[in-house]
Amino acid sequence: MTTCTASPELIDDLVSANRILYNEAVVDGFGHVSVRHDRCDDRFLLAAGLAPAVVTADDILELDFEGNVHDAQGRRSYLERFIHSEIYKARPDVVAIVHSHSPAIIPFGVTRATLRPVCHMSGFLGFSTPVFDIRDSDGENNDMLVRSNALGKALADSLGNNDFALMRGHGSITVARSLKLVVARAIWAEMNAKLQTEAMRLAAAFGDGEVNYLTPGEAAGSMAINETVVDRPWQLWKEKAQRK
Ligand code: MN
């Protein structure tokens, strides 16, 4: 791979994305966010193998779509970088990806409960959220990590044309056409999981068990309008993360 320096603005935004996702409790010591390179279309940017909260501009690595790191200078990449490389390969429309272990989402990957939009910020979730089960690709004895091109491809296949997928017993994948949007979606997915769990509890305790979800038309309509104003929450989240 030749040297091709990404714009300082993009690197700065990717550092902010790491800090925001930690500050908003989407990632902790683990989890990662990537974005397509803005000057070379054969690669993407992803932090070195660090906790997102401590990532700086010097930690941003360039990777190709086979998961190779360019000019690593001793920096190690994430074991699960193949999540990103294989989704970029399969989905030309995807510009940014978040992988997280955010906790409220996990129960939806291990039960028959389907994650669906219960509020107007989460229409992107859709109505038949895919669940990637690593056992289907890696057998009964595995370490739960997407640590190879083949497992990354299996995950990308499971995601299909959706914007969100669960990973059974592990976490989730969120994709979007911009970095700011993928950060917002990852935050809103976790929020939706919390709200849906509460709604299901209340429905079971006080109602007939039914939750009144958004209709597909409401999900599409609210998503279209929310996604035009994503700069506003981004500014708030960025400022909150910087104050820490
Ligand atoms: Mn993981």
Side-chain angles (χ1 to χ4, degrees), residues 80 99 101 170:
E80 292 194 292
H99 164 55
H101 307 156
H170 181 162

Side-chain angles (χ1 to χ4, degrees), residues 27-207:
V27 298
D28 49 22
F30 301 97
H32 17 93
V33 52
S34 70
V35 65
R36 278 188 196 269
H37 199 296
D38 58 349
R39 290 174 179 164
C40 275
D41 60 12
D42 62 347
R43 61 191 80 172
F44 65 96
L45 306 177
L46 177 69
L50 297 166
V54 304
V55 167
T56 67
D58 291 337
D59 304 315
I60 302 300
L61 302 179
E62 289 180 26
L63 288 87
D64 68 20
F65 301 135
E66 298 306 318
N68 301 309
V69 182
H70 172 65
D71 196 19
Q73 298 176 15
R75 297 166 296 179
R76 239 181 39 182
S77 184
Y78 294 115
L79 282 174
E80 292 194 292
R81 59 190 176 276
F82 305 101
I83 291 172
H84 303 264
S85 57
E86 291 295 324
I87 292 174
Y88 287 126
K89 206 190 282 180
R91 289 277 302 271
D93 61 308
V94 168
V95 174
I97 301 170
V98 171
H99 164 55
S100 93
H101 307 156
S102 67
I105 283 166
I106 305 283
F108 291 90
V110 297
T111 62
R112 291 188 194 283
T114 305
L115 189 66
R116 282 182 219 169
V118 288
C119 79
H120 72 126
M121 305 313 286
S122 40
F124 65 93
L125 287 174
F127 294 81
S128 54
T129 303
V131 181
F132 171 70
D133 193 331
I134 198 163
R135 271 181 216 142
D136 297 339
S137 315
D138 211 22
E140 291 287 323
N141 301 306
N142 66 76
D143 64 9
M144 303 295 286
L145 298 182
V146 179
R147 55 163 67 249
S148 68
N149 298 86
L151 290 171
K153 182 177 186 309
L155 175 61
D157 287 348
S158 176
L159 177 69
N161 284 320
N162 296 281
D163 295 324
F164 187 85
L166 292 154
M167 298 163 76
R168 192 263 311 158
H170 181 162
S172 64
I173 299 297
T174 313
V175 306
R177 62 176 184 277
S178 78
L179 182 59
K180 290 177 184 177
L181 188 54
V182 87
V183 166
R185 284 179 170 180
I187 292 169
W188 294 334
E190 176 69 4
M191 180 181 76
N192 190 89
K194 284 184 187 142
L195 293 173
Q196 187 179 345
T197 302
E198 279 306 305
M200 290 168 97
R201 271 200 200 111
L202 289 176
F206 299 106

